[in-house]
Amino acid sequence: MAQDELGCLMRAAAKYRRTAEAARREGIIPYRSEGGKWLPSPYEGNSWCTGGFWPGLMWQLWHLTGDEFFKAEAKRTGRLLTDELRTFTGLHHDVGFMYLLSCGAEARLCGDEQARADTLHAASLLMGRFNPVGFIRAWNGESQKGYAIIDSMMSLPLLCRASRETGDPRFEKVAVIHADTVLREFFRENGSVSHIIEFDPQTGRRVAEHAGQGAFLGSSWSRGQAWGLYGFTLMYMNTGLPRYLNAARRIAGYFIAHIRPDGLCDCDLEQPEETERLDNIAGAIAACALTELATLTDCIEYGRAADRLMEGMLTRCVDWEEDEHLGLLTRCTASYHGDEAGTHTNIVYGDFFFIEALARRAGKNAMLWL
Ligand code: GLY
């Protein structure tokens, strides 16, 4: 099995070695590929929340192959992201995605001091979004002062890393306060989690739930479930606190029960049965998290679920050609209701997690999240 996955990884690296040249020539951070081209994010330029996945993918491929092209491309796009630290006004809670996978990866894999400072800078910006009533503010809109979202669970490792690097416990303590708020306010009886909870920013009182990128209020956006699943797994790895492992296991139980018979993931796990709306990004994130959970818990069910997800994606949704998609994983969907960010197409963070999952299973993962 690991041998097959190593073969797929090397094939993926060879495709990226050819196609990433086009991104370098155009000077962009690719967000998705369509019609044989890389496209930048449709919103907010290089501040868009997913900008770290391209450099993260390049670092993962450099770690795998040692090919200096990937390192140069990771550094080129990482610099575009550190420019955003100075612009500042476009930044948001997703700085974990952006900077752990770019300067954070460079600092860890290459020992670069400026990259280390940039990573701590990003962690300090995330600290600045903490509202002491108990949550990290997600977005900057005037009406969003009380918004906290499940995706932030994936940025908490940036805070834990900053505490480890500096010996200052403040960062991790904020991560724990936010994660405990998510435990208390986002979970439902069946183990699923909400996408957005709105709090009163003055008192911390919960005032509303919002459907966000999911199908309807109270539904279960699959990528949100996957962010919670992987985010709580990483919080357990960072803190050793059993309540976070239990939280990951609750989401895992719900998620696994909703994997489709063909091994793929619906965009919303409660979407109407007649709707054909898939999101393979969710499946790829969950495959990474479940592989990690299987090791942490010795629970064979998690490994089997990760196998089903990988088998589903590998047999049905990988584009090895270059005519339509310059990337790999197809049928990725940004939001259930569809927008410029893409529906049923190749989106770069699907590839990031798909390649991380392959690398984990082949014993080659760079583990950029810690
Ligand atoms: N926070 C990025 C996404 O999942 O769409």
Side-chain angles (χ1 to χ4, degrees), residues 31 48-50 53 93-94 97 139 149 151-152 195 213 221 223-224 227 281 285 333-335 349:
Y31 166 74
W48 183 242
C49 56
T50 57
F53 290 110
H93 73 109
D94 275 327
F97 286 154
W139 297 313
I149 75 170
D151 317 31
S152 294
H195 182 197
Q213 283 152 270
W221 177 46
R223 199 155 71 250
W227 292 142
I281 312 172
I285 300 164
T333 298
S335 258
Y349 52 133

Side-chain angles (χ1 to χ4, degrees), residues 29-45:
I29 304 177
Y31 166 74
R32 66 183 154 121
S33 67
E34 260 178 29
K37 289 198 171 94
W38 291 118
L39 303 174
S41 86
Y43 310 115
E44 296 176 18

Side-chain angles (χ1 to χ4, degrees), residues 60-79:
Q60 186 75 262
L61 293 175
W62 177 67
H63 177 77
L64 174 73
T65 62
D67 185 328
E68 292 299 311
F69 168 81
F70 291 124
K71 183 180 189 178
E73 179 60 6
K75 288 173 76 153
R76 176 187 76 77
T77 45
R79 296 298 167 269

Side-chain angles (χ1 to χ4, degrees), residues 1 12 19 31 37 48-49 69 79 94 96 101 107 128 139 160 166 195 205 209 258 279 302 304 333 336 348-349 368:
M1 190 69 168
T19 65
Y31 166 74
K37 289 198 171 94
W48 183 242
C49 56
F69 168 81
R79 296 298 167 269
D94 275 327
L101 304 180
W139 297 313
C160 298
T166 61
H195 182 197
R205 187 177 57 87
E209 173 178 352
H258 288 80
D279 178 27
Y302 298 142
R304 286 202 185 118
T333 298
Y336 181 83
V348 160
Y349 52 133
L368 303 180

Side-chain angles (χ1 to χ4, degrees), residues 15 17 42 51 71 108 140 169 196 249 310:
K15 179 170 181 181
R17 181 65 182 82
K71 183 180 189 178
R108 199 146 66 69
N140 300 334
I196 303 172
R249 296 189 78 159
M310 292 305 287

